[in-house]
Coordinates of all heavy atoms in Angstrom, one line a residue:
M1 N -24.1 4.3 2.5 CA -23.6 4.0 3.9 C -24.3 5.0 4.8 O -24.5 6.2 4.5 CB -22.1 4.3 3.9 CG -21.5 3.8 5.3 SD -19.8 4.2 5.5 CE -18.9 3.4 4.3
L2 N -24.7 4.5 5.9 CA -25.4 5.3 6.9 C -24.5 6.3 7.6 O -23.2 6.0 7.7 CB -26.1 4.4 8.0 CG -27.1 3.5 7.5 CD1 -27.5 2.5 8.5 CD2 -28.3 4.2 6.9
P3 N -24.9 7.4 8.0 CA -24.0 8.4 8.7 C -23.3 7.8 9.9 O -22.2 8.1 10.2 CB -24.9 9.6 9.0 CG -26.1 9.4 8.2 CD -26.3 8.0 7.8
T4 N -24.1 7.0 10.6 CA -23.5 6.4 11.9 C -22.4 5.4 11.5 O -21.4 5.3 12.2 CB -24.5 5.7 12.7 OG1 -25.2 4.8 11.9 CG2 -25.5 6.7 13.3
A5 N -22.6 4.6 10.4 CA -21.5 3.7 10.0 C -20.3 4.4 9.5 O -19.2 4.0 9.8 CB -22.1 2.8 8.9
A6 N -20.5 5.6 8.8 CA -19.4 6.4 8.4 C -18.6 7.0 9.6 O -17.4 7.0 9.6 CB -19.8 7.5 7.4
R7 N -19.4 7.4 10.5 CA -18.8 8.0 11.7 C -18.0 7.0 12.5 O -16.9 7.2 13.0 CB -19.9 8.6 12.6 CG -19.4 9.6 13.6 CD -20.5 10.3 14.3 NE -21.3 11.1 13.4 CZ -22.7 11.1 13.4 NH1 -23.3 10.3 14.3 NH2 -23.4 11.8 12.6
R8 N -18.5 5.7 12.6 CA -17.8 4.7 13.3 C -16.5 4.3 12.5 O -15.5 4.0 13.1 CB -18.7 3.5 13.4 CG -19.3 3.3 14.8 CD -20.1 2.0 15.0 NE -21.4 2.3 14.5 CZ -22.1 1.5 13.7 NH1 -21.6 0.4 13.2 NH2 -23.3 1.9 13.3
S9 N -16.6 4.2 11.2 CA -15.4 3.8 10.5 C -14.3 4.9 10.5 O -13.1 4.5 10.4 CB -15.8 3.5 9.0 OG -16.2 4.7 8.4
L10 N -14.6 6.1 10.7 CA -13.6 7.2 10.7 C -13.2 7.5 12.2 O -12.4 8.4 12.4 CB -14.2 8.4 10.1 CG -14.4 8.3 8.6 CD1 -15.1 9.6 8.0 CD2 -13.1 8.1 7.8
A11 N -13.8 6.9 13.1 CA -13.5 7.2 14.5 C -12.0 7.0 14.9 O -11.5 7.8 15.7 CB -14.4 6.4 15.5
G12 N -11.4 6.0 14.3 CA -10.0 5.8 14.6 C -9.1 6.8 14.0 O -7.9 6.9 14.4
L13 N -9.5 7.5 13.0 CA -8.7 8.4 12.3 C -8.7 9.8 12.8 O -7.8 10.6 12.7 CB -9.1 8.5 10.8 CG -8.9 7.2 10.0 CD1 -9.5 7.4 8.6 CD2 -7.5 6.7 9.9
I14 N -9.8 10.2 13.5 CA -10.0 11.5 14.0 C -9.5 11.6 15.4 O -9.9 10.8 16.2 CB -11.5 11.9 13.9 CG1 -12.0 11.8 12.5 CG2 -11.7 13.3 14.5 CD1 -13.5 11.9 12.4
P15 N -8.5 12.5 15.6 CA -7.9 12.6 17.0 C -9.0 13.2 18.0 O -10.0 13.8 17.6 CB -6.8 13.7 16.8 CG -7.2 14.5 15.6 CD -8.0 13.5 14.7
P16 N -8.7 13.0 19.3 CA -9.7 13.5 20.3 C -9.8 15.0 20.2 O -8.8 15.7 19.8 CB -9.1 13.0 21.6 CG -7.7 12.7 21.3 CD -7.6 12.3 19.8
K17 N -10.9 15.5 20.6 CA -11.1 17.0 20.6 C -10.1 17.6 21.6 O -10.0 17.3 22.7 CB -12.5 17.3 21.0 CG -13.5 16.9 19.9 CD -14.9 17.3 20.4 CE -15.9 16.8 19.4 NZ -17.3 17.1 19.8
I18 N -9.4 18.6 21.1 CA -8.4 19.3 21.9 C -9.0 20.6 22.5 O -8.9 20.9 23.7 CB -7.2 19.6 21.1 CG1 -6.5 18.3 20.7 CG2 -6.2 20.4 22.0 CD1 -5.3 18.5 19.8
A19 N -9.6 21.4 21.6 CA -10.1 22.7 22.0 C -11.6 22.7 22.3 O -12.3 23.5 21.7 CB -9.7 23.7 20.9
T20 N -12.0 21.9 23.3 CA -13.4 22.0 23.7 C -13.5 23.2 24.6 O -12.5 23.6 25.3 CB -13.8 20.7 24.4 OG1 -13.0 20.6 25.5 CG2 -13.7 19.5 23.5
P21 N -14.7 23.8 24.7 CA -14.8 25.0 25.5 C -14.5 24.7 27.0 O -13.9 25.5 27.7 CB -16.3 25.3 25.4 CG -16.7 24.8 24.1 CD -15.9 23.5 23.9
G22 N -14.8 23.5 27.5 CA -14.5 23.2 28.9 C -13.0 23.1 29.1 O -12.5 23.5 30.1
A23 N -12.3 22.5 28.1 CA -10.9 22.3 28.3 C -10.1 23.6 28.2 O -9.1 23.8 28.9 CB -10.3 21.3 27.3
V24 N -10.6 24.5 27.3 CA -9.9 25.8 27.1 C -10.1 26.7 28.2 O -9.2 27.4 28.6 CB -10.3 26.4 25.7 CG1 -9.7 27.8 25.5 CG2 -9.9 25.5 24.6
S25 N -11.3 26.8 28.7 CA -11.6 27.8 29.7 C -11.0 27.5 31.1 O -10.8 28.3 31.9 CB -13.2 27.9 29.8 OG -13.7 26.7 30.3
S26 N -10.8 26.2 31.3 CA -10.2 25.8 32.6 C -8.7 25.9 32.7 O -8.1 25.6 33.7 CB -10.7 24.4 33.0 OG -10.1 23.5 32.1
G27 N -8.1 26.3 31.6 CA -6.6 26.4 31.6 C -5.9 25.0 31.3 O -6.6 24.1 30.9
T28 N -4.7 25.0 31.4 CA -3.9 23.8 31.1 C -3.9 22.8 32.2 O -3.3 21.7 32.1 CB -2.5 24.1 30.8 OG1 -1.9 24.8 31.9 CG2 -2.4 25.0 29.5
T29 N -4.5 23.0 33.3 CA -4.5 22.1 34.5 C -5.7 21.2 34.5 O -5.8 20.4 35.4 CB -4.4 22.9 35.8 OG1 -5.6 23.7 35.9 CG2 -3.2 23.8 35.9
S30 N -6.6 21.3 33.5 CA -7.7 20.4 33.6 C -7.3 18.9 33.3 O -6.3 18.7 32.6 CB -8.7 20.8 32.5 OG -8.3 20.5 31.2
A31 N -8.1 18.0 33.7 CA -7.8 16.6 33.6 C -7.9 16.2 32.1 O -7.1 15.4 31.6 CB -8.8 15.8 34.4
R32 N -8.9 16.8 31.4 CA -9.1 16.5 30.0 C -7.8 16.9 29.2 O -7.4 16.2 28.3 CB -10.3 17.2 29.5 CG -10.5 17.1 28.0 CD -11.3 15.9 27.6 NE -11.6 16.0 26.2 CZ -11.7 14.9 25.5 NH1 -11.6 13.7 26.0 NH2 -12.0 15.0 24.2
T33 N -7.3 18.1 29.4 CA -6.1 18.6 28.7 C -4.9 17.7 29.1 O -4.1 17.4 28.2 CB -5.8 20.1 29.1 OG1 -7.0 20.8 28.8 CG2 -4.7 20.6 28.3
A34 N -4.8 17.3 30.3 CA -3.7 16.4 30.7 C -3.8 15.1 30.0 O -2.8 14.5 29.6 CB -3.7 16.2 32.2
Q35 N -5.0 14.6 29.8 CA -5.2 13.3 29.1 C -4.7 13.4 27.6 O -4.1 12.6 27.1 CB -6.6 12.8 29.1 CG -7.1 12.4 30.5 CD -8.5 12.0 30.5 OE1 -9.3 12.3 29.6 NE2 -9.0 11.5 31.6
V36 N -5.1 14.6 27.0 CA -4.8 14.8 25.6 C -3.3 14.9 25.5 O -2.7 14.4 24.6 CB -5.5 16.1 25.1 CG1 -5.0 16.4 23.7 CG2 -7.0 15.8 25.0
I37 N -2.6 15.7 26.4 CA -1.2 15.9 26.3 C -0.5 14.5 26.5 O 0.5 14.2 25.8 CB -0.7 16.9 27.4 CG1 -1.2 18.3 27.0 CG2 0.8 16.9 27.5 CD1 -1.0 19.3 28.0
D38 N -1.0 13.7 27.4 CA -0.4 12.4 27.6 C -0.6 11.5 26.4 O 0.4 10.8 26.0 CB -1.1 11.7 28.8 CG -0.5 10.4 29.2 OD1 0.8 10.4 29.3 OD2 -1.2 9.4 29.4
F39 N -1.7 11.6 25.8 CA -2.0 10.8 24.5 C -1.0 11.2 23.4 O -0.4 10.3 22.8 CB -3.4 11.0 24.1 CG -3.7 10.4 22.7 CD1 -3.9 9.1 22.6 CD2 -3.8 11.2 21.6 CE1 -4.2 8.5 21.4 CE2 -4.1 10.6 20.3 CZ -4.3 9.3 20.2
Y40 N -0.8 12.4 23.2 CA 0.0 12.8 22.1 C 1.5 12.7 22.4 O 2.3 12.6 21.5 CB -0.3 14.3 21.7 CG -1.5 14.4 20.8 CD1 -2.7 14.9 21.3 CD2 -1.4 14.0 19.5 CE1 -3.8 14.9 20.5 CE2 -2.5 14.0 18.6 CZ -3.7 14.5 19.2 OH -4.8 14.5 18.4
S41 N 1.9 12.7 23.7 CA 3.3 12.5 24.0 C 3.8 11.1 23.8 O 4.9 10.8 23.7 CB 3.5 12.9 25.5 OG 2.9 12.1 26.4
K42 N 2.8 10.2 23.8 CA 3.2 8.7 23.6 C 3.3 8.4 22.1 O 3.8 7.3 21.8 CB 2.1 7.8 24.3 CG 2.2 7.9 25.8 CD 1.1 7.0 26.4 CE 1.1 7.2 27.9 NZ 0.0 6.4 28.5
L43 N 2.8 9.2 21.3 CA 2.9 8.9 19.8 C 4.4 9.0 19.4 O 5.2 9.8 19.8 CB 2.1 9.9 19.0 CG 0.6 9.8 19.2 CD1 -0.1 11.0 18.4 CD2 0.1 8.5 18.8
P44 N 4.8 8.1 18.4 CA 6.1 8.1 17.9 C 6.4 9.4 17.2 O 5.5 10.0 16.5 CB 6.2 6.9 17.0 CG 4.8 6.6 16.7 CD 4.0 7.1 17.8
K45 N 7.6 9.9 17.3 CA 8.0 11.2 16.6 C 9.1 10.8 15.6 O 10.0 10.0 15.8 CB 8.5 12.2 17.7 CG 7.5 12.6 18.6 CD 8.0 13.3 19.8 CE 7.0 13.7 20.8 NZ 6.4 12.5 21.5
G46 N 9.2 11.6 14.5 CA 10.2 11.4 13.6 C 9.9 10.3 12.6 O 8.8 9.7 12.5
P47 N 10.9 10.1 11.7 CA 10.7 9.0 10.7 C 10.7 7.6 11.3 O 11.1 7.4 12.4 CB 11.9 9.2 9.7 CG 13.0 9.8 10.6 CD 12.2 10.7 11.6
K48 N 10.2 6.7 10.5 CA 10.1 5.3 10.9 C 11.6 4.8 11.1 O 12.5 5.0 10.3 CB 9.5 4.5 9.7 CG 9.3 3.1 10.0 CD 8.5 2.5 8.8 CE 8.6 1.0 8.8 NZ 8.0 0.4 7.7
P49 N 11.8 4.1 12.2 CA 13.1 3.5 12.5 C 13.5 2.6 11.4 O 12.7 1.8 10.8 CB 12.9 2.8 13.8 CG 11.7 3.3 14.4 CD 10.8 3.8 13.3
S50 N 14.8 2.6 11.1 CA 15.4 1.8 10.0 C 15.4 0.3 10.4 O 15.5 -0.6 9.5 CB 16.8 2.2 9.6 OG 17.6 2.1 10.7
S51 N 15.3 0.0 11.6 CA 15.3 -1.4 12.0 C 14.0 -2.2 11.6 O 14.0 -3.4 11.4 CB 15.4 -1.5 13.6 OG 14.3 -1.0 14.2
E52 N 12.9 -1.4 11.4 CA 11.7 -2.0 10.9 C 11.7 -2.1 9.4 O 11.7 -1.1 8.7 CB 10.5 -1.2 11.4 CG 10.3 -1.2 12.8 CD 9.1 -0.4 13.2 OE1 8.2 -0.2 12.4 OE2 9.0 0.1 14.3
R53 N 11.9 -3.3 8.9 CA 12.0 -3.5 7.5 C 10.7 -4.1 6.9 O 10.0 -4.9 7.5 CB 13.1 -4.5 7.2 CG 13.6 -4.6 5.8 CD 14.8 -5.5 5.7 NE 14.4 -6.4 4.6 CZ 15.1 -7.5 4.3 NH1 16.2 -7.8 5.0 NH2 14.7 -8.2 3.3
A54 N 10.4 -3.6 5.7 CA 9.2 -4.1 5.0 C 9.4 -5.6 4.7 O 10.5 -6.0 4.3 CB 8.9 -3.3 3.8
G55 N 8.4 -6.3 4.8 CA 8.5 -7.8 4.5 C 8.1 -8.1 3.1 O 7.7 -7.2 2.3
G56 N 8.2 -9.3 2.7 CA 7.8 -9.8 1.4 C 8.8 -9.3 0.3 O 9.9 -9.1 0.5
L57 N 8.2 -9.2 -0.9 CA 9.0 -8.8 -2.0 C 9.5 -7.4 -2.0 O 10.6 -7.1 -2.4 CB 8.1 -9.0 -3.3 CG 7.7 -10.5 -3.6 CD1 6.8 -10.5 -4.8 CD2 9.0 -11.3 -3.9
R58 N 8.6 -6.6 -1.4 CA 9.1 -5.1 -1.3 C 10.3 -5.0 -0.4 O 11.3 -4.3 -0.8 CB 8.0 -4.3 -0.7 CG 8.3 -2.9 -0.6 CD 7.1 -2.1 0.0 NE 7.5 -0.8 0.3 CZ 6.9 0.1 1.0 NH1 5.8 -0.3 1.6 NH2 7.3 1.3 1.3
G59 N 10.4 -5.7 0.7 CA 11.5 -5.6 1.6 C 12.8 -6.3 1.0 O 13.9 -5.9 1.2
R60 N 12.5 -7.3 0.2 CA 13.6 -8.1 -0.4 C 14.3 -7.4 -1.6 O 15.5 -7.4 -1.7 CB 13.2 -9.5 -0.7 CG 14.3 -10.4 -1.3 CD 13.8 -11.8 -1.6 NE 13.4 -12.4 -0.4 CZ 12.7 -13.5 -0.4 NH1 12.3 -14.1 -1.5 NH2 12.3 -14.1 0.7
Y61 N 13.5 -6.9 -2.4 CA 14.0 -6.4 -3.7 C 14.0 -4.9 -3.9 O 14.8 -4.3 -4.7 CB 13.2 -7.0 -4.9 CG 13.4 -8.4 -5.0 CD1 12.3 -9.3 -4.7 CD2 14.6 -9.0 -5.4 CE1 12.5 -10.7 -4.8 CE2 14.7 -10.4 -5.5 CZ 13.6 -11.2 -5.2 OH 13.8 -12.6 -5.3
F62 N 13.2 -4.1 -3.2 CA 13.0 -2.7 -3.5 C 13.5 -1.8 -2.4 O 13.6 -0.6 -2.5 CB 11.6 -2.4 -3.8 CG 11.0 -3.0 -5.0 CD1 10.1 -4.0 -4.9 CD2 11.6 -2.7 -6.2 CE1 9.6 -4.7 -6.0 CE2 11.1 -3.4 -7.4 CZ 10.1 -4.4 -7.3
E63 N 13.9 -2.3 -1.2 CA 14.4 -1.5 -0.1 C 15.7 -2.0 0.4 O 16.0 -3.3 0.4 CB 13.4 -1.4 1.0 CG 12.1 -0.7 0.6 CD 11.1 -0.6 1.8 OE1 11.4 -1.1 2.9 OE2 10.1 0.0 1.6
G64 N 16.5 -1.2 1.0 CA 17.7 -1.6 1.6 C 18.9 -1.7 0.7 O 18.9 -1.2 -0.4
K65 N 19.9 -2.5 1.1 CA 21.2 -2.5 0.3 C 21.0 -3.4 -1.0 O 21.8 -3.3 -1.9 CB 22.3 -3.0 1.1 CG 22.2 -4.4 1.7 CD 23.3 -4.8 2.5 CE 23.1 -6.3 3.0 NZ 24.3 -6.8 3.7
N66 N 20.0 -4.3 -1.0 CA 19.8 -5.2 -2.1 C 18.7 -4.6 -3.1 O 18.2 -5.4 -3.9 CB 19.4 -6.6 -1.6 CG 20.5 -7.2 -0.9 OD1 21.6 -7.0 -1.2 ND2 20.1 -8.0 0.1
A67 N 18.5 -3.4 -3.1 CA 17.4 -2.8 -4.0 C 17.8 -3.0 -5.4 O 19.0 -2.7 -5.8 CB 17.2 -1.3 -3.6
S68 N 16.9 -3.4 -6.3 CA 17.2 -3.5 -7.7 C 15.9 -3.6 -8.4 O 14.8 -3.7 -7.9 CB 18.0 -4.8 -8.0 OG 17.2 -5.9 -8.1
G69 N 16.0 -3.5 -9.8 CA 14.8 -3.5 -10.6 C 14.6 -4.9 -11.3 O 13.8 -5.0 -12.2
K70 N 15.3 -5.9 -10.8 CA 15.2 -7.2 -11.4 C 13.7 -7.8 -11.4 O 13.3 -8.4 -12.4 CB 16.1 -8.2 -10.7 CG 17.5 -8.0 -11.1 CD 18.4 -9.0 -10.4 CE 19.9 -8.7 -10.7 NZ 20.8 -9.7 -10.1
P71 N 13.0 -7.6 -10.3 CA 11.6 -8.1 -10.4 C 10.7 -7.5 -11.5 O 9.9 -8.1 -12.1 CB 11.0 -7.8 -9.0 CG 12.2 -7.7 -8.1 CD 13.3 -7.1 -9.0
I72 N 10.9 -6.2 -11.7 CA 10.2 -5.5 -12.8 C 10.6 -6.0 -14.1 O 9.7 -6.3 -15.0 CB 10.4 -4.0 -12.7 CG1 9.8 -3.5 -11.3 CG2 9.8 -3.3 -13.9 CD1 10.1 -2.0 -11.1
L73 N 11.9 -6.2 -14.4 CA 12.3 -6.7 -15.6 C 11.9 -8.2 -15.8 O 11.5 -8.5 -17.0 CB 13.9 -6.6 -15.7 CG 14.4 -5.2 -15.8 CD1 16.0 -5.3 -15.8 CD2 14.0 -4.5 -17.0
A74 N 11.9 -8.9 -14.8 CA 11.4 -10.3 -14.9 C 9.9 -10.4 -15.2 O 9.5 -11.2 -16.1 CB 11.7 -11.1 -13.6
T75 N 9.1 -9.5 -14.6 CA 7.7 -9.5 -14.9 C 7.4 -9.0 -16.3 O 6.6 -9.6 -17.0 CB 7.0 -8.4 -14.0 OG1 7.3 -8.9 -12.6 CG2 5.5 -8.4 -14.2
V76 N 8.2 -8.0 -16.8 CA 8.0 -7.6 -18.2 C 8.4 -8.7 -19.2 O 7.7 -9.0 -20.2 CB 8.8 -6.3 -18.5 CG1 8.9 -6.0 -20.0 CG2 8.3 -5.1 -17.7
G77 N 9.5 -9.4 -18.9 CA 9.9 -10.5 -19.7 C 8.9 -11.7 -19.7 O 8.6 -12.3 -20.8
I78 N 8.4 -12.0 -18.6 CA 7.4 -13.1 -18.5 C 6.1 -12.7 -19.3 O 5.6 -13.6 -20.0 CB 7.1 -13.4 -17.1 CG1 8.3 -14.2 -16.4 CG2 5.8 -14.3 -16.9 CD1 8.2 -14.3 -14.9
L79 N 5.7 -11.5 -19.1 CA 4.5 -11.0 -19.9 C 4.7 -11.0 -21.4 O 3.8 -11.4 -22.2 CB 4.0 -9.7 -19.4 CG 3.4 -9.6 -18.0 CD1 3.2 -8.1 -17.6 CD2 2.2 -10.4 -17.9
F80 N 5.9 -10.7 -21.8 CA 6.3 -10.7 -23.2 C 6.2 -12.2 -23.7 O 5.7 -12.4 -24.8 CB 7.7 -10.1 -23.4 CG 8.1 -10.3 -24.8 CD1 7.7 -9.4 -25.8 CD2 9.1 -11.2 -25.2 CE1 8.1 -9.6 -27.1 CE2 9.5 -11.4 -26.5 CZ 9.0 -10.6 -27.5
L81 N 6.8 -13.1 -23.0 CA 6.8 -14.5 -23.4 C 5.4 -15.1 -23.5 O 5.1 -15.8 -24.4 CB 7.7 -15.3 -22.5 CG 9.2 -15.1 -22.6 CD1 10.0 -15.9 -21.6 CD2 9.7 -15.4 -24.0
I82 N 4.6 -14.8 -22.5 CA 3.2 -15.3 -22.5 C 2.5 -14.7 -23.7 O 1.8 -15.4 -24.5 CB 2.5 -14.9 -21.2 CG1 3.1 -15.8 -20.1 CG2 1.0 -15.1 -21.3 CD1 2.6 -15.3 -18.7
G83 N 2.6 -13.4 -24.0 CA 2.0 -12.7 -25.1 C 2.4 -13.3 -26.5 O 1.6 -13.6 -27.4
Y84 N 3.7 -13.5 -26.6 CA 4.3 -14.1 -27.8 C 3.8 -15.5 -28.0 O 3.4 -15.9 -29.2 CB 5.8 -14.1 -27.7 CG 6.5 -14.6 -29.0 CD1 6.6 -13.7 -30.1 CD2 6.9 -15.9 -29.1 CE1 7.2 -14.2 -31.3 CE2 7.5 -16.4 -30.2 CZ 7.6 -15.5 -31.3 OH 8.2 -16.0 -32.5
T85 N 3.7 -16.3 -27.0 CA 3.2 -17.7 -27.1 C 1.8 -17.7 -27.6 O 1.4 -18.5 -28.4 CB 3.3 -18.4 -25.7 OG1 4.7 -18.4 -25.3 CG2 2.9 -19.8 -25.8
I86 N 0.9 -16.9 -27.0 CA -0.5 -16.8 -27.4 C -0.6 -16.3 -28.8 O -1.3 -16.9 -29.6 CB -1.2 -15.8 -26.4 CG1 -1.4 -16.5 -25.0 CG2 -2.6 -15.5 -27.0 CD1 -1.9 -15.5 -24.0
D87 N 0.2 -15.3 -29.2 CA 0.1 -14.8 -30.6 C 0.6 -15.9 -31.6 O 0.0 -16.1 -32.6 CB 1.0 -13.6 -30.7 CG 0.8 -12.9 -32.0 OD1 -0.3 -12.8 -32.5 OD2 1.8 -12.4 -32.6
Y88 N 1.6 -16.6 -31.2 CA 2.2 -17.7 -32.1 C 1.2 -18.8 -32.3 O 0.9 -19.3 -33.4 CB 3.5 -18.2 -31.5 CG 4.2 -19.2 -32.4 CD1 4.8 -18.9 -33.5 CD2 4.1 -20.6 -32.0 CE1 5.5 -19.8 -34.3 CE2 4.7 -21.6 -32.8 CZ 5.4 -21.1 -34.0 OH 6.0 -22.1 -34.8
N89 N 0.5 -19.2 -31.2 CA -0.5 -20.3 -31.3 C -1.7 -19.8 -32.1 O -2.2 -20.6 -32.9 CB -0.9 -20.7 -29.9 CG 0.2 -21.6 -29.3 OD1 0.8 -22.4 -30.0 ND2 0.3 -21.5 -28.0
M90 N -2.1 -18.6 -32.0 CA -3.2 -18.1 -32.8 C -2.8 -18.1 -34.3 O -3.7 -18.3 -35.1 CB -3.6 -16.7 -32.3 CG -4.2 -16.6 -31.0 SD -5.8 -17.5 -31.0 CE -6.2 -17.5 -29.3
H91 N -1.6 -17.7 -34.5 CA -1.1 -17.7 -35.9 C -1.1 -19.1 -36.5 O -1.5 -19.3 -37.7 CB 0.3 -17.1 -36.0 CG 0.8 -16.9 -37.4 ND1 0.4 -15.9 -38.2 CD2 1.7 -17.6 -38.1 CE1 1.0 -16.0 -39.4 NE2 1.8 -17.0 -39.4
L92 N -0.7 -20.1 -35.7 CA -0.7 -21.5 -36.2 C -2.2 -22.0 -36.4 O -2.4 -22.7 -37.4 CB -0.1 -22.4 -35.1 CG 1.4 -22.3 -35.0 CD1 1.9 -23.2 -33.9 CD2 2.1 -22.6 -36.3
K93 N -3.1 -21.5 -35.6 CA -4.5 -21.9 -35.9 C -5.0 -21.3 -37.2 O -5.8 -21.9 -37.9 CB -5.4 -21.5 -34.7 CG -5.2 -22.3 -33.5 CD -6.1 -21.8 -32.3 CE -5.9 -22.6 -31.1 NZ -6.7 -22.1 -30.0
H94 N -4.5 -20.1 -37.5 CA -4.9 -19.4 -38.7 C -4.4 -20.2 -39.9 O -5.1 -20.4 -40.9 CB -4.3 -18.0 -38.7 CG -4.4 -17.3 -40.0 ND1 -5.6 -16.8 -40.5 CD2 -3.5 -17.0 -41.0 CE1 -5.4 -16.2 -41.7 NE2 -4.2 -16.3 -42.0
H95 N -3.2 -20.8 -39.9 CA -2.6 -21.6 -41.0 C -3.2 -23.0 -41.0 O -3.1 -23.6 -42.1 CB -1.1 -21.6 -40.9 CG -0.4 -20.4 -41.3 ND1 -0.4 -20.0 -42.6 CD2 0.2 -19.4 -40.6 CE1 0.3 -18.8 -42.7 NE2 0.6 -18.4 -41.5
K96 N -3.8 -23.4 -40.0 CA -4.4 -24.8 -40.0 C -5.5 -25.0 -41.0 O -5.6 -26.0 -41.7 CB -4.9 -25.1 -38.6 CG -5.4 -26.5 -38.3 CD -5.8 -26.5 -36.9 CE -6.1 -28.0 -36.5 NZ -6.5 -28.1 -35.1
S97 N -6.3 -23.9 -41.2 CA -7.4 -24.0 -42.1 C -7.0 -23.7 -43.6 O -7.8 -23.9 -44.5 CB -8.5 -23.1 -41.7 OG -8.1 -21.8 -41.7
G98 N -5.8 -23.3 -43.8 CA -5.4 -23.0 -45.2 C -4.4 -21.9 -45.2 O -4.3 -21.0 -44.3
H99 N -3.5 -21.8 -46.2 CA -2.5 -20.8 -46.3 C -3.2 -19.5 -46.8 O -4.2 -19.5 -47.5 CB -1.4 -21.2 -47.3 CG -0.7 -22.4 -46.8 ND1 0.3 -22.2 -45.8 CD2 -0.7 -23.7 -47.2 CE1 0.8 -23.4 -45.6 NE2 0.3 -24.3 -46.4
H100 N -2.5 -18.4 -46.5 CA -3.1 -17.1 -46.9 C -2.3 -16.5 -48.0 O -1.2 -16.8 -48.4 CB -3.2 -16.1 -45.7 CG -1.9 -15.9 -44.9 ND1 -1.1 -14.9 -45.2 CD2 -1.4 -16.6 -43.9 CE1 -0.1 -14.9 -44.3 NE2 -0.3 -16.0 -43.5

């Protein structure tokens, strides 16, 4: 990956520069510092509100008052049945050519 591509992909993750020499030397009344303070004051504070619920299977089975482990148990059971069926059919093919 080119350095410029990496820089572009990370641009959204890196916050704006706060302590630039121009912003620090001019005190807290500079326009740049005011913009930074305004930017950070608009960010949400604290934990995620409980009204926002995760969607899909995660929201339905693993979060909230209906949280349970049934999907995990169902997945394990289905995988067991599929594995058993494959093993049984392979065993039948083994007996097809002759008894052991």
Side-chain angles (χ1 to χ4, degrees):
M1 188 187 301
L2 297 172
T4 56
R7 199 174 296 135
R8 257 185 275 131
S9 66
L10 295 175
L13 299 175
I14 300 171
K17 293 182 182 178
I18 297 173
T20 59
V24 173
S25 64
S26 64
T28 59
T29 59
S30 73
R32 173 86 173 150
T33 307
Q35 289 174 352
V36 171
I37 291 172
D38 185 48
F39 171 76
Y40 281 105
S41 67
K42 291 179 182 175
L43 292 177
K45 296 167 184 66
K48 181 178 168 184
S50 61
S51 63
E52 295 180 23
R53 193 176 129 189
L57 294 175
R58 181 177 172 199
R60 183 178 296 166
Y61 294 110
F62 297 113
E63 292 182 0
K65 63 180 181 176
N66 294 327
S68 82
K70 287 182 182 179
I72 294 173
L73 293 176
T75 303
V76 169
I78 289 170
L79 290 175
F80 173 78
L81 288 174
I82 290 171
Y84 183 80
T85 303
I86 291 171
D87 191 40
Y88 183 75
N89 284 326
M90 292 295 173
H91 186 77
L92 289 179
K93 286 181 183 178
H94 170 73
H95 282 287
K96 187 177 187 180
S97 59
H99 292 286
H100 54 95

